[in-house]
Amino acid sequence: MGILEVKDVGKRFGGLQALGDVNLSVAENTVHAIIGPNGAGKSTLLNVLVGKLIPDTGSVMFDGQSVLGRKPYEINQMGISRVFQTPEIFIDLSVLENMMIPCFAKRDGSFRMHAIENMHDEKDIVEKAESMLEDMNMADKREMHAGSMSRGDKRRLEIGMCLAQEPRLLLLDEPTAGMARADTNNTIDLLKQIKDERDITIAIIEHDMHVVFSLAERITVLAQGTPLVEDTPENIKGHPKVREAYLGESA
Amino acid sequence: MLGLNKKDMTLLIVVTILTLSAPFILNPFPTDSAMAQFNAGYPDLMQRFAIFGIFAIGFNLLFGLTGYLSFGHAAFLGVGSYSVVWMYKLLDYNVIWGLPLAIVTSGIFALLIGFVSMRRSGIYFSILTLAFAQMSFNLAYSVLTPITNGETGLQVYNNDPQVLMGANEASSPHLFGLVMNSSAKVGVGAWEFTFNNGYYFCGVIAILVFYLSIRIFRSPFGMMLRAIKSNQTRMAYTGLNPRPYTLAAFVISGMYAGLAGGLLASMDPLAGAERMQWTASGEVVLMTILGGAGTLMGPVLGAGFIKYFENIFSKINDTVLHNWFAFLPDGLEDFVVFLIHPFIGKGWHLTLGILFMLVVTFLPGGLVEGGQRIAAMIKRTKEDEDTPAKTEPAE
C-alpha cells in the first residue's frame, strides 16, 4: 500500500478524454517519476492530486484519506506540497518573509489572526525560516526582494518553502523546465540531497530524461491519458512500448 | 517602544506632533493678508483632515495590503453616521455611546457585504462592492425612511426620547461635557489660531488608529495580506486559506470607515444618505492612490491633499481672481481670468483631475514616492559634495 493511491481515475474535458482508468501507487520514501509525451495527461493528473481539478470517476487516497473534493489548501495541510513549472513565490516580499509564511502555515494551520504582534517577535518562526534558508544555501539573500532573483534561485526558494512545511509528499511539475544546464544540474543535486536527508516521498513530472534517470526509483509512463507501463528506470529505458510511444518520438 | 521599531516610532512621533500642532502649521498666513484664504487652520477643515485621514488609513489596510479594490466603502461611512445620530436621539448627545456602536454596526455590515463580495476577486469584487453600496444608498434614501429619515437626512428633534439627557447638558455633540464645536481662539500678532475641541478629539483618535495600522502592517497578519496580493496561488498551495484573511481585512477597514462616519456625525449631528453615494467611495480610492497605496503615510497625505483642494480651491471665484490680476491691463486681465476660470470654484475637480493624472503618470507610488525621490536627491547631492573632499588629499 503506497502513500498515494490513485484508482481508476478518469477526467473528460468535453470530447477529450484527458485521463482514463489511471491507476498509480507511489510507495513511501521513494522518488516516482511520471513521464509521457505532450498531451499525455501528466498535468491533468497533477491537478487532480492537488485538488485543482475534480475527476469524473475514481478515487485518490493520500495516507488512507481521500483527497477528492478538498480545497488545495486543505490537501496541502494533509501533507502534500507542490512545486510549479514556473516558480510560484511571493515576488513582492523579501526572501525571509517568503520562507516565514510556510512556517506560519505549518504552525498555525490554514488561518490564524495575529494582527497586533510584530512578526519579527515570532522567534521560533524566524529561526526556522533562517535555518531553512541556510539549508538551501540562501542565507545571504534573506533581505533580498524575492522577485529580483534569478530563475534558479526562485526555484530553490520555492522548493525550500515547500520543505519548510515538512510535507510527506512533494510534487514537482517539470522543475527544470526552461532552465540552463547548470541550473538544471544544481536542481538535480538539490533534489538528491533532499531525498537522502529527509523522510519524504517525491513525485516528479518531467520532460527532461536526464533529470528523470538521475533521480527516479520508479517510473510511470503515461500516454493518451492512461499509464502504459510502470517499472524501474533500467527496465523503462529498454521497454519497447515506451520507445514506441515516447522515446522513439523524441530520440 | 510600543512594539514598534525605530523607524516606525519616529514616523508615529512625527505624525503625533504634526497632528497636535496642526492649528499652527495650517495657519501660516496672517488673518488680514491676501493669502489668508489659503489658510486651512479652521475647525471644519481640520476635522475633515483627521476624519478622512482615518477613512483612508482604513481603506489602505484593505486596498494597500491585499490589493482588493472596494468601491463601496462609503456605505460603512453612512452606517457609522446613522448609528451615532440614533444614539443622540435615543440616549443623549454624548458621543461615547454612538462611536462604539458605529464601529460595531459597520463591522457587521462589512462582514455581510464582504462575505458575498469576497467570493470574487479583481474587477468583479469591485463591482459587487459598488452594487452593495448603491443598494445601501437607495435603501437609506427611500425604503428605510423610518430609520434614515430618507432624503431629509437623520437629525435630532425636540420630541426625541434622549433618555439620558441631563438638565444642564449641552444640546450639541460632546464627550462628557467637552463640547465638540467649541473652540479657543488665540491671537498672536497678526495671526489668529483656533483650537477646537472637536478637532483634537478626532486628531487623538486618528493618532490611535494610525498606530493600530502600523501594528497591523508589521504583524504576521499584515504579511499574509501582502502575500495574498503578491500570489494567491502560492498562498493556497502553502496550506493557507486566503478567504478569512481578506474578509478580516475587509471588516477591519469597514470598521475604520464606520468610525470615520461616526466622527462626521460627532462634529455635526446629521446623517444623510448622500454620504453613502458612490462618489464618496470613489473619493477614498483617489485619496489612497494619490498619496501612495500600501504605504503608511500615503493615505493620510492623500486625504489631506484632496480635502484641502475641495475646500480651498472651490472658494476662489472670479472676484478673487480679478483682485489678484488687477495689476494687468484690463483686456489681458479678463483674458487671464477667463483662462483660469474653469479650474477654480466649482471647477476644482478639473484641477484635482489633472493633478491626479500627473501623479499617477509620473509618480506611480503617489505623493510618498515623490517625497522619497526628493529625499534621495538631497542625499545624492550631499554625497557628491563629500566625495571630492575625501579624494583631494590623495592627490
Side-chain angles (χ1 to χ4, degrees):
Chain A
M1 190 66 180
I3 188 166
L4 184 72
E5 293 283 342
V6 179
K7 283 224 164 65
D8 304 325
V9 162
K11 178 75 190 175
R12 179 175 272 284
F13 296 113
L16 176 76
Q17 184 81 39
L19 293 176
D21 294 328
V22 175
N23 286 287
L24 179 73
S25 173
V26 177
E28 200 159 358
N29 293 333
T30 56
V31 179
H32 196 124
I34 298 161
I35 61 171
N38 281 331
K42 304 185 298 289
S43 298
T44 310
L45 178 60
L46 193 74
N47 284 335
V48 165
L49 299 183
V50 296
K52 199 176 169 190
L53 286 177
I54 297 174
D56 303 328
T57 57
S59 70
V60 179
M61 304 291 276
F62 174 70
D63 199 23
Q65 284 179 295
S66 174
V67 305
L68 296 186
R70 291 183 200 248
K71 297 239 164 62
Y73 75 88
E74 291 170 321
I75 293 174
N76 177 281
Q77 288 283 358
M78 290 166 77
I80 301 180
S81 277
R82 174 178 179 179
V83 172
F84 286 79
Q85 198 171 334
T86 25
E88 293 279 2
I89 55 170
F90 303 112
I91 51 168
D92 303 315
L93 273 57
S94 77
V95 171
L96 180 66
E97 284 173 331
N98 264 278
M99 198 55 100
M100 282 169 74
I101 286 172
C103 298
F104 274 115
K106 175 73 185 168
R107 193 190 71 182
D108 299 336
S110 63
F111 173 71
R112 197 184 126 193
M113 183 93 183
H114 23 29
I116 297 300
E117 305 93 318
N118 191 313
M119 61 186 176
H120 295 289
D121 291 341
E122 305 267 1
K123 292 281 178 262
D124 53 327
I125 297 283
V126 177
E127 269 167 34
K128 189 176 167 192
E130 280 179 341
S131 83
M132 199 67 223
L133 284 178
E134 252 158 54
D135 287 0
M136 294 287 120
N137 284 327
M138 303 185 82
D140 53 324
K141 297 194 172 71
R142 62 190 290 257
E143 297 302 332
M144 231 171 121
H145 199 70
S148 60
M149 295 195 303
S150 72
R151 174 93 173 222
D153 279 342
K154 281 181 184 163
R155 167 67 70 221
R156 193 170 268 271
L157 176 62
E158 189 189 25
I159 293 174
M161 286 163 72
C162 288
L163 292 178
Q165 290 190 285
E166 297 155 36
R168 301 189 53 206
L169 174 63
L170 182 64
L171 299 174
L172 298 138
D173 186 1
E174 301 197 23
T176 62
M179 269 190 191
R181 199 80 227 170
D183 275 341
T184 303
N185 288 335
N186 282 338
T187 309
I188 293 174
D189 290 344
L190 177 67
L191 291 172
K192 274 186 180 156
Q193 189 195 337
I194 292 166
K195 172 181 124 183
D196 294 341
E197 287 173 4
R198 288 166 202 270
D199 248 0
I200 195 169
T201 312
I202 298 177
I204 180 169
I205 285 180
E206 186 55 81
H207 247 10
D208 189 330
M209 288 304 124
H210 171 59
V211 178
V212 171
F213 289 119
S214 355
L215 284 169
E217 292 156 295
R218 290 297 284 185
I219 296 178
T220 300
V221 184
L222 275 188
Q224 279 148 15
T226 32
L228 270 185
V229 232
E230 192 199 309
D231 217 325
T232 57
E234 291 73 37
N235 294 343
I236 291 285
K237 268 183 199 165
H239 205 289
K241 260 182 163 178
V242 178
R243 280 187 174 276
E244 187 191 317
Y246 189 79
L247 296 176
E249 261 176 50
S250 59
Chain B
M1 216 184 357
L2 290 174
L4 301 181
N5 66 24
K6 216 177 135 204
K7 212 174 141 198
D8 293 338
M9 196 65 215
T10 318
L11 183 65
L12 183 66
I13 291 170
V14 169
V15 168
T16 307
I17 293 171
L18 288 179
T19 310
L20 296 181
S21 55
F24 294 110
I25 298 169
L26 296 175
N27 235 6
F29 307 111
T31 319
D32 293 329
S33 70
M35 299 295 277
Q37 61 184 316
F38 290 106
N39 279 340
Y42 56 93
D44 192 46
L45 183 52
M46 288 196 298
Q47 288 164 3
R48 271 162 200 281
F49 285 155
I51 292 170
F52 283 90
I54 295 171
F55 190 22
I57 290 170
F59 184 77
N60 188 41
L61 284 175
L62 178 71
F63 177 57
L65 288 177
T66 68
Y68 277 78
L69 177 59
S70 161
F71 253 107
H73 258 49
F76 310 126
L77 200 71
V79 169
S81 290
Y82 283 123
S83 306
V84 168
V85 177
W86 265 108
M87 286 298 102
Y88 294 155
K89 287 167 84 77
L90 296 175
L91 303 175
D92 70 353
Y93 272 117
N94 196 338
V95 295
I96 199 76
W97 318 120
L99 287 178
L101 182 74
I103 296 172
V104 171
T105 46
S106 56
I108 293 170
F109 247 73
L111 189 66
L112 294 174
I113 294 181
F115 186 78
V116 179
S117 308
M118 282 294 175
R119 298 186 160 266
R120 292 282 170 272
S121 58
I123 188 79
Y124 302 101
F125 168 79
S126 304
I127 296 297
L128 279 172
T129 52
L130 176 62
F132 273 112
Q134 280 304 89
M135 283 196 284
S136 310
F137 164 69
N138 282 310
L139 284 176
Y141 202 73
S142 54
V143 183
L144 293 178
T145 302
I147 300 173
T148 61
N149 209 14
E151 53 185 302
T152 321
L154 193 64
Q155 48 188 297
V156 183
Y157 295 111
N158 286 333
N159 58 355
D160 283 330
Q162 297 201 296
V163 289
L164 294 177
M165 192 73 168
N168 299 321
E169 203 179 312
S171 62
S172 71
H174 64 88
L175 178 74
F176 298 112
L178 188 78
V179 178
M180 291 300 165
N181 61 14
S182 77
S183 310
K185 294 195 179 202
V186 180
V188 180
W191 285 268
E192 189 179 61
F193 301 112
T194 314
F195 300 92
N196 173 259
N197 288 341
Y199 168 68
Y200 276 102
F201 180 65
C202 295
V204 169
I205 291 181
I207 294 167
L208 290 176
V209 300
F210 181 66
Y211 169 67
L212 186 67
S213 93
I214 302 181
R215 292 295 293 258
I216 292 174
F217 261 71
R218 302 292 179 237
S219 71
F221 175 68
M223 179 171 71
M224 294 298 179
L225 297 181
R226 283 186 291 131
I228 287 170
K229 184 181 183 180
S230 184
N231 191 340
Q232 288 228 17
T233 308
R234 178 39 79 199
M235 195 76 180
Y237 288 98
T238 308
L240 292 160
N241 186 1
R243 188 87 69 79
Y245 284 103
T246 46
L247 185 58
F250 191 79
V251 171
I252 293 172
S253 96
M255 287 160 105
Y256 267 75
L259 174 66
L263 286 171
L264 279 176
S266 302
M267 299 301 111
D268 187 10
L270 292 171
E274 73 287 345
R275 212 163 265 175
M276 302 171 110
Q277 226 170 349
W278 69 274
T279 44
S281 299
E283 197 182 49
V284 75
V285 179
L286 289 189
M287 287 173 180
T288 310
I289 294 176
L290 188 69
T295 61
L296 285 166
M297 269 312 281
V300 184
L301 290 178
F305 198 79
I306 288 184
K307 284 293 149 190
Y308 184 82
F309 265 79
E310 180 183 306
N311 287 277
I312 304 296
F313 263 69
S314 61
K315 272 194 310 196
I316 303 171
N317 54 29
D318 283 0
T319 328
V320 177
L321 282 184
H322 278 292
N323 277 335
W324 285 357
F325 297 106
F327 62 91
L328 294 172
D330 266 358
L332 194 58
E333 179 189 326
D334 288 343
F335 182 65
V336 170
V337 171
F338 171 77
L339 277 186
I340 301 180
H341 175 82
F343 297 95
I344 51 148
K346 286 202 172 109
W348 71 273
H349 282 111
L350 193 58
T351 318
L352 182 69
I354 292 170
L355 281 169
F356 186 75
M357 285 195 309
L358 289 175
V359 166
V360 170
T361 315
F362 296 105
L363 296 171
L367 296 174
V368 167
E369 190 187 328
Q372 284 165 347
R373 282 198 196 170
I374 292 170
M377 249 155 63
I378 293 170
K379 214 174 153 192
R380 219 176 301 139
T381 13
K382 258 192 189 161
E383 274 167 11
D384 287 348
E385 281 166 11
D386 290 351
T387 348
K390 273 180 203 156
T391 46
E392 251 172 8
E395 292 169 349

